[in-house]
Amino acid sequence: MLRWLIGGGREPQGLAEKSPLQTIGEEQTQNPYTELLVLKAHHDIVRFLVQLDDYRFASAGDDGIVVVWNAQTGEKLLELNGHTQKITAIITFSSLGSCEEKNQLILTASADRTVIVWDGDTARQVQRISCFQSTVKCLTVLQRLDVWLSGGNDLCVWNRKLDLLCKTSHLSDTGISALVEIPKKCVVAAVGKELIIFRLVAPTGGSLEWDILEVKRLLDHQDNILSLINVNDLSFVTGSHIGELIIWDALDWTMQAYERNFWDPSPQLDTQQEIKLCQKSNDISIHHFTCDEENVFAAVGRGLYVYNLQMKRVIACQKTAHDSNVLHIAKLPNRQLISCSEDGSVRIWELREKQQLAAEPVPTGFFNMWGFGRVNKQASQPVKKQQENATSCSLELIGDLIGHSSSVEMFLYFEDHGLVTCSADHLIILWKNGERESGLRSLRLFQKLEENGDLYLAV
């Protein structure tokens, strides 16, 4: 077990000017992750982590290998070899059988145009599916219908026995980038800048075959959709490359709310400033979402934004949460948010309430919060009145985990075993609660002394 020094210095990379990045001192009193384990098994970028149960997880990446780990000890349990190219998607699925005999299946898709189904308990290759005409980019389990879907240039529907039930025709050369299940036996597929609603038709008395029907195409996004998640049973949210955030009704597929980053440079900006801002178009791409009952949390470029579902506006933000693009975020139960970035850092934030001043209303758009463009005075007047006595929030940095030497792709949170991060440096780091681990070591020591009778001799 390694113990790391909190508050290790980290200078912004490649910045000509001083970065407004929020920093934290050496005394990170609210950061529990003061110990770490470095796990080595991969030979290339580790892009995916998936939780198998309360104490196991699997990792996968560009080396085509899947590794199963013990989240408590960091022990490597299994290695799954079968793909010849990088892994592009991974999910878990319970196998058939009685409740006591169910095994955890791991499904992996690869750039070798195959999907392999693994037994997560034995590393046995259950089945290899190689009938795909393109790379499968996403895998989704539909719990309500007890089937799973694979998305590439077309959309395929499979059952637990791994039989192909039905498929669509060729949709797009760019392929399906994300899939989510919505009510009425439907799914939403992100294909470029379009959202396509499909309805699955299960066998009935008149028909013994499954079918998948295209119901509607939503064309409201102006650029490629990068993020798509369910908010709840009644709505889902999408985010695009140019910073469009749209919340959709999951029942009638209409827009409930719309946030847009309008590029409207101020006349006061000189030519050099305008060029500099234009070169940072990636700063407004929405890379990832997470949500709770009240808010949608968005990773927008290098920043973090909290969008309140009831107020339909941004209530808190960190414009520069990291030095580089934020790739993954997750909300914890205790009003905390964790983010990881291309800059190699993992940061912990706390959402705190504060009284919003009447003279400083929260801007309505992401771009306005970045300070780009001008707020429409006429449109902002009702917003000012509405926010005069409103309670807004802030995101305060309470922890900075520095251990990776390259981009941190994603992470998993275990309530009892800590935080797991994976990176382009080929490593996985298991971050541990130092106080809890110290207590467990002391407990094990006392138990060992008691077993050997040494405890009573010492007394």
Side-chain angles (χ1 to χ4, degrees), residues 123-143:
R124 180 176 65 91
Q125 194 175 123
V126 177
Q127 188 167 335
R128 182 187 186 93
I129 306 170
S130 55
C131 60
F132 300 100
Q133 300 301 311
S134 62
T135 298
V136 173
K137 297 181 179 179
C138 54
L139 298 167
T140 303
V141 174
L142 305 188
Q143 300 290 353

Side-chain angles (χ1 to χ4, degrees), residues 10 20-23 300-305 317-324 326 339 341 343 345 347 349 370 395 397 400:
R10 178 165 56 89
L21 182 73
Q22 187 175 150
T23 58
V300 185
R302 297 180 295 163
L304 299 172
Y305 292 80
C317 77
Q318 275 292 339
K319 301 173 187 177
T320 311
H322 289 265
D323 284 330
S324 302
V326 181
S339 59
S341 166
D343 64 13
S345 68
R347 313 194 96 188
W349 309 85
W370 275 82
L395 283 170
L397 181 64
D400 198 358

Side-chain angles (χ1 to χ4, degrees), residues 93-99 101-103 105 146 159-162:
F93 198 20
S94 298
S95 65
L96 286 171
S98 63
C99 294
E101 298 175 351
K102 276 187 178 179
N103 292 332
L105 297 180
D146 202 30
N159 63 15
R160 284 181 181 270
K161 296 179 181 179
L162 311 178

